[in-house]
Structure formats: structure tokens, C-alpha cells
Amino acid sequence: MWREIWLVCRKDLTVERRARITLIQIVPTVLLILVVFAFAFDANPSLLGAGAGGLFWVAVLFGGVLGAKRSFDIEDEGGNLDALRLGGLVPAAILWGKAAALAIQLIVVAVFTAAGLLVLYSVTVDDWLLVIVAGLCGTAAFAICGTLYGAMTVGLRSADTLLPLLLIPVAAPVLLAGTRAFDVALGTSADQGWSWTALLAVVLVTYIAVGWAAAGPLLEDA
């Protein structure tokens, strides 16, 4: 199983390395979102600092939607998904391999987004460990959730609009908990940051459990 997961993950990362969609298209778009919000807040340092945590997660969610859509578009175009299944790969290996590849791409998006916040919004980080742990849990949760709904909508004509419509409400707990944890880490809130990070971990485990249960039905019907 683990070897099959690694094969699928490596295949997706190889495609991404050659196309460079994350670096050439998704990352610039996410950074542009930060610039637009900076203008919308009239470059007010207090407003930018207060909203930095939430903007980080909105930007990562946006990148997750784009990444999840592309992850299954490359399989649907040439019938590659059927080829993977006919090649003997179990549905769970396909799902988790693609989720792992998407998680790595989202980590790249998250790093550039964090750098953009540090440069454009002049935020300061009070607790780097909290930022790293919450960031990893949140991006992993987005990757799993995005992969699940990407598999659900693959091949549908309305997938471009249906995927974000389905994904955003389910990802709302990650947005909420991640924002609260980052607010504490950035020093804009006196809340319990690690409690919100624990909630992120619970959400992540829940998504993992749902993924294991849904992998077979989703990819068999895709």
C-alpha cells in the first residue's frame, strides 16, 4: 500500500515539476490576493495585522481549490484514472497518493503566503512552533478534503463551480480553527492557540477517517 501511495504521489509531483503550475500560476495568484486586500484595507497596519491570520487561510484554501481541481483534471483528460485502476492500484492508494502530492504543493503555497504576509503586512510572529504545527495540520486537512471532493466531481461539466461550492463549507472548521491559532501566534489575540490547534488535529483525523471509508466508492464511480 505505502509503495503504491508513493508511486501516485511521485507521479503527480513529477507532472507538477514539469508544468510548474503551482509556482507559475497558483502562487502569484495567491500573492495578488494579498496585495488586493492590502489596497482594500487602505494599507492600514492595524487592520492588516488583525486580518493576517484569516487571509493566510483564505489564500491557502483558494490554492487548495485550484490544486485539487488540477489534480484530477490531469487524470480525466486522457483516461489516466481508469489506467491507474486497471493497473492494479487500490482506490485508497490513488486517493492518498494524490492527497500527499496536493499537501506538498499546498505547503509550498503556504510558505510563499506566509512570506507575503511578513513582507506586505509587516506582521511579527510570537510563536513559530504554533504557526508551523497549525499550518501543517491545516494544509494537510485542506489537501485531504480537496482530494475527496476532487474525486467526487471529476468528469462533471460543472466541476469548476461545483468543487468550491462543496469544498468551502466542509473546510470551514479548518478556516475557523486555523485563523484563531494564527491570531494567537501573531500576537493579535490572547486566546488559547494550542486548543485551536488541537481542534485542527481532530478535524484532520476526522478527514482521514472519512477518506479511508470513502476512497473505494468515490474512485470506483469516478
Side-chain angles (χ1 to χ4, degrees):
M1 169 69 80
W2 292 109
R3 180 177 177 275
E4 294 176 344
I5 292 174
W6 165 241
L7 287 175
V8 175
C9 177
R10 186 177 64 178
K11 177 191 72 68
D12 278 18
L13 292 178
T14 300
V15 172
E16 174 56 33
R17 179 175 58 83
R18 293 174 178 174
R20 298 182 181 176
I21 297 298
T22 298
L23 290 176
I24 295 177
Q25 296 183 21
I26 297 179
V27 167
T29 303
V30 166
L31 294 178
L32 185 59
I33 291 174
L34 299 183
V35 173
V36 169
F37 271 99
F39 281 112
F41 289 156
D42 199 23
N44 188 313
S46 61
L47 288 177
L48 293 177
L55 286 177
F56 173 88
W57 289 107
V58 170
V60 173
L61 174 60
F62 182 76
V65 172
L66 296 179
K69 179 68 173 59
R70 171 170 165 73
S71 176
F72 281 93
D73 279 348
I74 61 178
E75 307 296 355
D76 187 51
E77 290 175 356
N80 294 337
L81 194 58
D82 290 333
L84 289 175
R85 290 180 296 198
L86 292 174
L89 293 177
V90 297
I94 299 174
L95 180 74
W96 294 116
K98 299 189 78 61
L102 180 57
I104 293 172
Q105 294 172 50
L106 283 182
I107 289 174
V108 174
V109 173
V111 169
F112 278 96
T113 304
L117 290 175
L118 292 173
V119 174
L120 297 174
Y121 291 15
S122 299
V123 298
T124 57
V125 179
D126 292 344
D127 191 339
W128 277 104
L129 182 60
L130 180 58
V131 166
I132 293 172
V133 175
L136 289 176
C137 288
T139 52
F142 277 147
I144 295 171
C145 193
T147 303
L148 286 172
Y149 281 96
M152 187 183 300
T153 59
V154 63
L156 299 180
R157 292 183 178 179
S158 57
D160 290 338
T161 55
L162 187 59
L163 179 58
L165 184 64
L166 293 174
L167 180 58
I168 292 175
V170 178
V174 181
L175 285 173
L176 173 61
T179 299
R180 295 294 182 267
F182 266 47
D183 286 344
V184 175
L186 298 178
T188 59
S189 173
D191 207 345
Q192 297 294 322
W194 287 105
S195 296
W196 288 106
T197 304
L199 178 59
L200 274 176
V202 171
V203 173
L204 174 60
V205 171
T206 302
Y207 287 170
I208 291 174
V210 172
W212 278 113
L218 279 178
L219 292 179
E220 286 172 3
D221 297 335

